[in-house]
Amino acid sequence: MAKSPKKSPYSHRHLLGIEGLSVQEISYLLEKSDEYVGQNRLSDKKVETLHGRTVINLFFEDSTRTRTSFELAGKRLSADVINMSVGSSSVNKGETLIDTASTLNAMHPDVLVVRAGLSGAVKLLAEKVNCAVINAGDGSHEHPTQALLDALTIQRRRGKLQGLKIAICGDILHSRVARSNIYLLVTMGAQVRLVAPMTLLPSGAENLGVEVFHDMKEGLKDCDIVMMLRLQNERMQGNYFPSIREYFHFFGLDYEKLSVAKPDALIMHPGPANRGVEIDSEVADDYSRSVIREQVEMGVAVRMACLDILSNNLQQELQEGAE
Amino acid sequence: MTGIWTAAQSDENLGRKAYINVRLLDPATGLDVVCDATGGMLTDGEEIVEFGAGIFKSGMPDSAEIIDCGSHCLSPGLVDIRVQVREPGYEHKGTIESAGRSATAGGVTTMVCLPNTNPVIADMSQVEFVARRARKIGLAKIYPYAALTEELAGEKLTEIGILAEAGAVAFTDGDKAIANAQVLRRALSYARTFDLLIVQHPEEPSLVSPGGMNSGETATRLGLPGIPREAEIIMVERDLRLVEMTGGKLHFGHISTGEAVNVIRQAKARGLNVTCDTAPPYFALNDQSVGDYRTFAKLSPPLRSEDDRLAIVEGLKDGTIDAIASDHAPQDADSKRLPFTQAESGGVGLETLLAVSLELYHNKAMSLLEVLAKITYVPAELLQLPAGKIAKGAAADLMLFDPERGWQVKDTDLTSKAKNTPFDLRPVQGVVLRTIIDGRTVYRLEDE
């Protein structure tokens, strides 16, 4: 039996997280994503790549931008896209999650895009289905396509990731975006710094290959990229910080704190931004510095690349199985 | 003893002052030198310019006012890090002015006040109010603690970062413990972000019977509810784990039990960022002082057993207990003239801080400089206050005292508006002759 000559450099069935991916795998995902950026700027944005395939967006948690981004990505690749929003109240038990998964599995989807409120829930679901699964965010664990779109944004602006000083600021503790970004950027050789109050830093954060700061002006000094995180009030119970006023005073990004970063430092935010909480409106809307809109654009391209690669891998797996 | 107070005027010209015939004592540097008429200290305006033996050998500086100290001791003014001034809100118990007069009569030039006023010190304007009032009154310098949690309820953190910028020196719920472990954990962790200190009243509230005294024979005999020593020990042990977990900085106020001293000693040996103080009643009195339901001896934490008292002395000697604070808690007569169980806790302490602390010296438990260290530069360093040291360029905040002269504590003789001293009728040694703040004498003993 001859091995398939077209084996892709990303050979996994699922995309559940960035942790553990190699430089080659990440580079390949970014390369493919970059190819789709141009296509998305054409007036005819549609290609036949996933014609006849079924993509189900299974969202156990509210989402507007990520779900829309995946939906557009699927449609531009000509897949049949179904959106399923399951209220979080009806899925409190692992049992129900698996029930949902096996029900959907019986409908023969090709890719399941899953967002779940609980860390690890997407991996559990992936173990129970025959299709490819993309993690669109699970609890405080990972959000791999967000990290890829952030990396693509940086790479297109700066031509590289290696050696850049990148500060990730704010609610690291609850952030899946932070975790995926840390894994990706550290793997790709960037110098990653975390800036947060002690209460919003997970324990052992300094063991992830990053530098930890508790003062914005120290953490942002000479940075190429300032990545702000959304304060996830909905995940907080109790005293992580005293008030929004105090949080903004010490950790909100304004021009004063930004002044210590490199003069051309880029400002990023995964959205939706809490204006006046983690970022000053003036800074968020300064399009000479802020690439927040560009991140959204890159998101669609990244998701098209992921759907394309995973569908292709699944196809090959089936062929190999048949041979 | 009666004294004369002279409050500071903002427009006065202080000029230079030469203190001669004096024994200079500075615990921070170990300085202990007897100066005759050719030496001592020179201050100019608000600052110390020079000090030591023989500094005036080549003549007195021009136009300096010469103060003959009569061979008495001149040391840094005392730094008292646990004072309740009761203003605003409880002016019938005490005011900032009354506390300022008591403080200066007791040689205290810098004090730190608890936030349990009404309103609670929990916002910028309250922090600034205390500082502004103290400046206006022109007696002792006052720095405020701010509340750690809103309304001292032990639930929601105050804006400690912003409050620290406004001038709060540390954060505490005063005489209430942070009972909820998760709240203290987050507080320690959040405070570490800004390298801020939290001060805990270590007492597990669920073990405290309202209105009680120390559990033991005296309580049993009097039929009073008991407050077990374990209320303090359990809280200290728990909090030490939280300090270890978060890497935060914690200070325990008024430690009263031997076992708490032991666990803090071990924690310090492990390298934890933890400090503590005690108050004179806990090394000078025991629970027998309650005697026949004496409400002036009702304190929080309660006076403990003789074994505990001795262990507190040991803790002071070996440095486990960093500092001594007066724990000044004025109460109006009506709130003490009640059945023991209903009476308020607390005792005034500013005016007896020096004399009762000096018992440790007179009893030969510690040297004079070691005792002074506990009430000057050590507590100042704990809270990073610019106080408690004799140094060129430092503020001339000084105390002239006679460590030997005896007197008897009498509640009616106290300057303080409130008279509730647990040391009533106690014969003591050590008299403050003069208290100097920013180069000017604000208090002088009348016969001096």
Side-chain angles (χ1 to χ4, degrees):
Chain A
M1 261 192 296
K3 274 202 169 173
S4 168
K6 286 194 290 180
K7 183 116 180 151
S8 104
Y10 184 91
S11 58
H12 310 278
R13 184 198 283 191
H14 308 301
L15 175 61
L16 299 177
I18 300 292
E19 189 179 15
L21 296 187
S22 66
V23 174
Q24 290 72 26
E25 287 169 328
I26 293 168
S27 301
Y28 175 66
L29 291 170
L30 292 176
E31 225 171 88
K32 283 292 265 188
S33 302
D34 200 32
E35 289 169 18
Y36 279 110
V37 176
Q39 190 196 318
N40 282 331
R41 289 177 180 172
L42 303 174
S43 53
D44 181 1
K45 300 173 182 65
K46 199 147 175 157
V47 288
E48 295 290 308
T49 319
L50 294 191
H51 183 82
R53 310 283 170 81
T54 304
V55 174
I56 301 181
N57 286 332
L58 177 59
F59 277 63
F60 293 105
E61 212 184 49
D62 288 343
S63 161
T64 310
R65 27 182 92 212
T66 307
R67 205 204 60 213
T68 309
S69 183
F70 269 108
E71 185 176 353
L72 258 183
K75 285 181 169 163
R76 285 183 184 168
L77 294 170
S78 302
D80 295 317
V81 183
I82 306 290
N83 288 322
M84 260 192 78
S85 292
V86 187
S88 50
S89 60
S90 62
V91 192
N92 284 328
K93 296 169 187 163
E95 220 178 12
T96 330
L97 180 92
I98 291 166
D99 283 348
T100 312
S102 61
T103 306
L104 291 175
N105 191 47
M107 299 177 192
H108 298 291
D110 296 273
V111 184
L112 268 179
V113 176
V114 187
R115 159 152 313 175
L118 301 175
S119 304
V122 177
K123 179 171 179 289
L124 178 65
L125 190 143
E127 285 164 4
K128 307 293 173 188
V129 296
N130 299 323
C131 61
V133 174
I134 297 178
N135 180 1
D138 66 321
S140 300
H141 177 226
E142 282 231 43
H143 191 354
T145 55
Q146 178 71 43
L148 288 165
L149 74 87
D150 288 338
L152 183 62
T153 308
I154 298 169
Q155 205 171 48
R156 285 174 61 97
R157 283 286 194 134
R158 289 288 179 266
K160 59 173 186 180
L161 296 169
Q162 172 123 31
L164 292 180
K165 281 199 177 80
I166 302 177
I168 304 177
C169 312
D171 185 1
I172 316 276
L173 180 67
H174 300 102
S175 177
R176 51 198 175 212
V177 174
R179 284 172 180 74
S180 289
N181 264 310
I182 291 167
Y183 300 135
L184 190 149
L185 295 169
V186 170
T187 304
M188 301 306 283
Q191 295 176 32
V192 180
R193 301 160 165 205
L194 305 182
V195 191
M198 283 296 305
T199 38
L200 292 177
L201 270 173
S203 62
E206 58 283 355
N207 299 331
L208 299 177
V210 297
E211 262 188 288
V212 173
F213 295 84
H214 308 304
D215 181 282
M216 284 288 273
K217 283 198 154 176
E218 285 171 30
L220 262 49
K221 196 162 175 10
D222 298 326
C223 274
D224 299 278
I225 309 287
V226 180
M227 208 180 260
M228 300 307 296
L229 296 173
R230 191 171 68 83
L231 197 60
Q232 300 199 38
N233 273 314
E234 71 278 10
R235 287 184 207 278
M236 287 190 210
Q237 282 159 350
N239 286 305
Y240 289 95
F241 57 91
S243 68
I244 297 293
R245 174 172 78 151
E246 175 148 324
Y247 187 83
F248 183 75
H249 182 70
F250 292 105
F251 295 98
L253 186 68
D254 53 20
Y255 280 119
E256 213 240 314
K257 297 185 190 96
L258 188 59
S259 66
V260 298
K262 284 196 180 150
D264 62 347
L266 299 179
I267 298 153
M268 304 179 74
H269 193 297
N274 296 312
R275 290 161 183 268
V277 180
E278 69 261 354
I279 191 163
D280 193 48
S281 273
E282 260 190 316
V283 178
D285 296 336
D286 176 354
Y287 293 114
S288 67
R289 313 287 298 272
S290 162
V291 292
I292 296 173
R293 291 187 305 194
E294 225 165 292
Q295 287 172 271
V296 178
E297 183 191 356
M298 295 306 126
V300 180
V302 162
R303 282 149 190 152
M304 288 169 82
C306 293
L307 290 172
D308 179 0
I309 292 167
L310 293 187
S311 307
N312 209 27
N313 288 356
L314 190 71
Q315 207 56 35
Q316 287 203 359
E317 236 184 88
L318 292 174
Q319 277 170 13
E320 279 168 25
E323 275 167 25
Chain B
M1 287 181 290
T2 45
I4 304 158
W5 286 265
T6 322
Q9 312 292 316
S10 57
D11 55 351
E12 74 196 299
N13 182 12
L14 288 170
R16 295 199 283 182
K17 295 189 171 67
Y19 299 85
I20 58 166
N21 271 328
V22 68
R23 178 178 172 195
L24 292 177
L25 294 167
D26 181 41
T29 54
L31 175 79
D32 181 353
V33 58
V34 176
C35 307
D36 56 17
T38 65
M41 182 183 291
L42 180 68
T43 65
D44 188 357
E46 300 186 344
E47 288 179 3
I48 296 170
V49 177
E50 216 176 340
F51 59 92
I55 58 167
F56 302 125
K57 240 180 195 149
S58 47
M60 284 296 151
D62 295 340
S63 73
E65 179 191 339
I66 292 163
I67 297 165
D68 189 326
C69 298
S71 302
H72 293 306
C73 297
L74 188 65
S75 73
L78 305 187
V79 178
D80 186 351
I81 59 168
R82 195 175 182 88
V83 175
Q84 302 189 47
V85 297
R86 306 294 194 197
E87 180 185 344
Y90 307 102
E91 286 85 350
H92 60 295
K93 294 178 190 284
T95 60
I96 291 175
E97 178 162 16
S98 163
R101 290 167 74 89
S102 286
T104 46
V108 174
T109 53
T110 296
M111 56 184 167
V112 186
C113 64
L114 294 184
N116 54 348
T117 47
N118 185 12
V120 165
I121 302 178
D123 62 41
M124 282 188 278
S125 59
Q126 282 300 120
V127 168
E128 282 161 10
F129 167 82
V130 173
R132 198 168 56 241
R133 281 282 290 156
R135 262 200 314 279
K136 194 170 171 215
I137 289 164
L139 293 166
K141 295 175 180 174
I142 304 187
Y143 295 89
Y145 289 110
L148 180 64
T149 68
E150 286 181 5
E151 293 304 318
L152 310 176
E155 288 161 13
K156 200 173 173 309
L157 287 187
T158 57
E159 294 172 321
I160 67 175
I162 289 174
L163 286 164
E165 285 187 345
V169 294
F171 298 86
T172 180
D173 277 1
D175 55 359
K176 290 173 85 175
I178 310 294
N180 183 311
Q182 181 72 297
V183 171
L184 186 63
R185 173 203 174 182
R186 294 245 198 279
L188 283 165
S189 178
Y190 185 73
R192 194 184 149 196
T193 309
F194 309 103
D195 195 28
L196 299 175
L197 178 69
I198 291 172
V199 177
Q200 170 76 304
H201 167 78
E203 190 173 52
E204 169 53 49
S206 60
L207 289 175
V208 177
S209 310
M213 63 172 291
N214 187 44
S215 293
E217 195 195 317
T218 310
T220 302
R221 220 166 20 80
L222 296 174
L224 289 173
I227 300 172
R229 303 157 69 254
E230 287 74 11
E232 176 171 299
I233 301 161
I234 286 171
M235 190 61 100
V236 168
E237 286 180 328
R238 182 202 76 171
D239 289 357
L240 289 172
R241 295 288 166 197
L242 294 174
V243 170
E244 192 151 27
M245 174 184 183
T246 57
K249 270 201 316 199
L250 187 65
H251 177 86
F252 294 109
H254 47 212
I255 289 295
S256 67
T257 64
E259 195 50 36
V261 174
N262 285 340
V263 292
I264 293 168
R265 185 180 291 125
Q266 289 158 14
K268 285 185 164 187
R270 285 210 308 281
L272 291 195
N273 216 333
V274 60
T275 52
C276 67
D277 68 65
T278 191
Y282 305 111
F283 59 78
L285 301 173
N286 61 33
D287 59 1
Q288 290 179 19
S289 297
V290 173
D292 198 16
Y293 304 100
R294 276 184 65 227
T295 59
F296 278 12
K298 182 177 180 182
L299 306 175
S300 173
L303 290 170
R304 304 289 186 185
S305 70
E306 179 62 10
D307 286 346
D308 287 308
R309 185 189 75 78
L310 293 171
I312 296 294
V313 173
E314 280 308 307
L316 283 164
K317 279 166 69 176
D318 72 12
T320 302
I321 301 178
D322 301 86
I324 300 170
S326 74
D327 213 359
H328 184 77
Q331 296 291 1
D332 55 307
D334 290 338
S335 58
K336 282 288 191 184
R337 209 180 289 135
L338 286 168
F340 191 90
T341 317
Q342 290 175 338
E344 294 278 359
S345 302
V348 291
L350 283 165
E351 289 165 75
T352 48
L353 174 62
L354 177 71
V356 180
S357 297
L358 284 177
E359 289 182 3
L360 295 163
Y361 158 63
H362 293 300
N363 296 341
K364 304 198 163 40
M366 297 165 74
S367 74
L368 183 56
L369 281 179
E370 283 168 345
V371 173
L372 288 174
K374 304 280 185 196
I375 41 183
T376 54
Y377 85 96
V378 177
E381 282 183 354
L382 285 179
L383 297 177
Q384 297 172 13
L385 305 175
K389 290 176 190 173
I390 291 179
K392 286 182 188 175
D397 292 351
L398 305 161
M399 168 178 77
L400 184 67
F401 70 106
D402 177 349
E404 306 300 331
R405 186 164 150 189
W407 58 290
Q408 188 179 30
V409 181
K410 284 205 189 89
D411 57 357
T412 47
D413 287 352
L414 294 177
T415 300
S416 171
K417 186 176 162 72
K419 309 295 183 192
N420 53 307
T421 171
F423 297 109
D424 195 21
L425 302 181
R426 188 180 185 91
V428 292
Q429 276 177 282
V431 169
V432 176
L433 305 170
R434 201 187 260 264
T435 302
I436 299 145
I437 296 177
D438 286 335
R440 60 193 312 288
T441 298
V442 294
Y443 168 82
R444 200 148 66 85
L445 191 65
E446 205 166 36
D447 63 2
E448 162 52 11

